[in-house]
Amino acid sequence: MKWGVQVVRGNTHNVGSTSVILQFASGRYLFNCGEGTQRLSFENKTRISKLTAIFLTRVDWDNMGGLPGMLLTLAETGSQNLVVCGGHNLTHAMAAMRHFILRSDMGVGVKELRDGDAAAAFSDENIRVTPVHIYPTGYTVSAHEQGADESDAAAIRRMLLERAFGVHKAPEPTDRKKREPPQPQQKKGYYGQECKEAAIEQVLQKFEQQDEDRTKKRSLSPGHSPKRSSDVFLPLATPTPCALCYIVEGPEVPGKFDSQAARDLGLKPGPQFAQLVRGQTITTADGQTIRPEQCVGPARPSSLVIIIDCPSPAYIDSLTTAHQFVPFLEGTKTAGPQKDQLMMIVHSLGPGVAQDARYKKWAARFPAHVRHMVSAPEYVPDNNPFQRHLRIHAAMHAISPHTYILPQATDKAELPLHTFLDSKNLVAPKSMMMYDIEPEPKLDESM
């Protein structure tokens, strides 16, 4: 199965996040959706209509400023059952968009990958994503940030989210022969638990009554109605500085089919070959049973990609001591086969992180074969990725230089990459750059 990582935009002095897309034949997975993500994707003809899930490393404007526009565009393309994953307060942020976005047929699902929650992971037919939570030095994680949020306020946020985006439904199997008859739908709560609709409605009515009492204290315009769903009071949320890193595991690579071994067993190319490749045991005309392992080699473990978001040097200690990364590091007792499966690390770093000795020492402990994409302001030029707009602007500047002033930009980075690590596997992100993970690791800068 072919898949890879495509860069949408790197982290510069003007852009505070890195956006990349994991591309599969059957889906796309976007990590961070800052301002301009949708515009860049459209300009470079990236098929965002195939987006399956969006992952946010932080719930702030740098990382999700382009999300409202992206959702509206996806709604116009008929996209349904998109999943948005992120950290604490993601449901609150999505529910706050209800005044701007009302697409009840999209079925957008929101999954908060909260610290300490055993269910905080995402998986489907293509990838499995495990979050790693990091915090600035000196920050104490409060109790409300731990585990799944089952409070009354969380129930209200999910109800408002459902009203704005509709009910998220799991995708149906693509193989029609394996489809089961449709079953009556039962409403589900946050991690698949049964939803007590009567209880939630009761809590919702309580919040609506509180909001109605509040609005009575101020003058209302003649056409104002406090009972509209968009006027339901959204419970306050407590900000958190949590940042998420992601360990992404791709699909297992099937073993190679040995056609000569199949022929030696008396088989002919055709449907029988295809059955063996799919892992099915076949019986020949003379009654001989042939198992897949007789003609298909052993499967290879899946490749791994790590997405790191370290906003400032204050997060370095939490990041470098996270136990989830220990199996990938050289010279540790718990290092396992995962370090051989790791193909790429995307370093999305804030100002000062890439030149911090603690971070450089930690990054140097990853295996030598790993490709490091260093997305930091010191190594990514402050250029203009919107080439179509830039060409039009340059043409208008030629007509009227005083009216159309060219934007300041540079194609030269502040520091050379070798000042980050002494490695040949370093690359600075460029818009639409593609790095193939499977079937063979390969960098393609021609996009």
Side-chain angles (χ1 to χ4, degrees):
M1 177 184 290
K2 182 177 181 180
W3 66 284
V5 179
Q6 185 174 33
V7 179
V8 178
R9 196 170 185 180
N11 198 347
T12 67
H13 290 292
N14 301 320
V15 181
S17 68
T18 302
S19 297
V20 297
I21 298 177
L22 266 61
Q23 294 201 7
F24 290 81
S26 59
R28 304 283 191 270
Y29 304 86
L30 175 63
F31 288 79
N32 287 328
C33 188
E35 284 189 282
T37 301
Q38 170 202 354
R39 184 177 167 192
L40 273 171
S41 301
F42 178 78
E43 181 175 320
N44 293 279
K45 299 181 180 180
T46 302
R47 298 182 63 182
I48 60 173
S49 60
K50 297 183 69 174
L51 271 182
T52 303
I54 298 176
F55 298 86
L56 304 177
T57 56
R58 281 172 284 146
V59 183
D60 61 11
W61 190 254
D62 283 340
N63 294 269
M64 63 181 300
L67 186 57
M70 178 69 76
L71 291 174
L72 287 172
T73 300
L74 291 172
E76 294 302 319
T77 63
S79 177
Q80 291 183 326
N81 298 322
L82 176 77
V83 179
V84 182
C85 301
H88 186 73
N89 287 337
L90 176 61
T91 307
H92 181 91
M94 292 290 293
M97 298 180 190
R98 70 195 187 281
H99 298 286
F100 178 65
I101 305 174
L102 187 60
R103 298 292 187 274
S104 58
D105 56 345
M106 279 193 72
V108 176
V110 174
K111 190 175 181 65
E112 284 194 6
L113 307 176
R114 296 167 66 90
D115 199 357
D117 186 2
F122 172 90
S123 64
D124 65 3
E125 61 178 354
N126 292 323
I127 61 173
R128 176 175 175 79
V129 182
T130 303
V132 180
H133 300 76
I134 62 174
Y135 302 88
T137 302
Y139 181 78
T140 302
V141 182
S142 59
H144 77 275
E145 296 178 72
Q146 295 284 338
D149 189 358
E150 299 296 342
S151 64
D152 290 346
I156 299 303
R157 296 186 186 105
R158 292 193 292 270
M159 183 67 74
L160 292 173
L161 188 69
E162 183 177 309
R163 289 182 177 183
F165 295 102
V167 180
H168 176 74
K169 300 177 182 178
E172 296 181 359
T174 55
D175 188 351
R176 293 185 178 181
K177 295 181 180 179
K178 295 183 179 180
R179 287 186 180 178
E180 298 179 355
Q183 301 293 329
Q185 291 188 6
Q186 182 180 16
K187 288 191 175 182
K188 297 291 183 178
Y190 193 35
Y191 286 102
Q193 298 178 357
E194 185 176 351
C195 178
K196 298 180 180 179
E197 186 171 345
I200 293 180
E201 287 290 350
Q202 185 178 8
V203 176
L204 182 61
Q205 291 175 6
K206 181 181 70 174
F207 275 84
E208 288 179 337
Q209 184 62 42
Q210 291 177 355
D211 186 63
E212 187 173 354
D213 294 345
R214 188 180 295 105
T215 55
K216 285 180 179 179
K217 296 180 181 179
R218 64 177 187 268
S219 60
L220 300 175
S221 60
H224 183 82
S225 173
K227 295 184 179 180
R228 294 182 299 179
S229 61
S230 61
D231 289 332
V232 175
F233 174 69
L234 180 63
L236 297 177
T238 304
T240 174
C242 177
L244 268 64
C245 304
Y246 294 105
I247 301 173
V248 184
E249 181 180 357
E252 186 180 62
V253 181
K256 187 177 181 180
F257 179 71
D258 189 343
S259 59
Q260 187 58 48
R263 288 188 176 92
D264 293 342
L265 292 170
L267 301 178
K268 296 181 180 181
Q272 290 181 329
F273 276 26
Q275 287 179 292
L276 290 172
V277 171
R278 290 195 296 265
Q280 301 174 3
T281 300
I282 64 175
T283 303
T284 61
D286 58 0
Q288 182 183 5
T289 300
I290 300 178
R291 299 183 302 276
E293 55 267 24
Q294 294 179 257
C295 305
V296 181
R300 179 163 56 84
S302 57
S303 298
L304 297 169
V305 174
I306 293 179
I307 311 291
I308 292 175
D309 183 12
C310 189
S312 73
Y315 289 79
I316 294 179
D317 288 340
S318 178
L319 172 64
T320 56
T321 57
H323 67 88
Q324 293 93 334
F325 295 122
V326 173
F328 302 102
L329 302 177
E330 298 280 14
T332 58
K333 295 181 180 179
T334 56
Q338 295 97 323
K339 68 177 184 180
D340 297 325
Q341 299 169 234
L342 181 60
M343 293 290 108
M344 184 179 193
I345 302 176
V346 178
H347 303 264
S348 180
L349 311 177
V353 177
Q355 288 302 299
D356 193 291
R358 296 170 297 168
Y359 191 89
K360 295 166 69 173
K361 181 180 179 180
W362 178 72
R365 296 179 62 190
F366 287 97
H369 72 272
V370 175
R371 173 76 67 172
H372 295 267
M373 182 176 289
V374 188
S375 183
E378 298 90 342
Y379 298 106
V380 181
D382 288 317
N383 55 15
N384 190 334
F386 303 102
Q387 294 300 312
R388 183 182 300 178
H389 163 78
L390 194 59
R391 287 192 294 269
I392 297 174
H393 200 104
M396 299 303 294
H397 174 77
I399 298 173
S400 179
H402 298 291
T403 304
Y404 299 94
I405 301 174
L406 290 177
Q408 295 184 357
T410 178
D411 291 326
K412 185 177 181 181
E414 290 182 5
L415 298 173
L417 279 175
H418 67 79
T419 61
F420 176 69
L421 282 182
D422 184 14
S423 172
K424 297 180 180 179
N425 289 327
L426 297 179
V427 63
K430 298 179 182 178
S431 184
M432 298 302 126
M433 172 192 289
M434 185 73 185
Y435 185 76
D436 293 331
I437 303 296
E438 295 289 353
E440 180 182 357
K442 181 179 64 175
L443 181 65
D444 183 3
E445 299 186 63
S446 62
M447 302 294 289

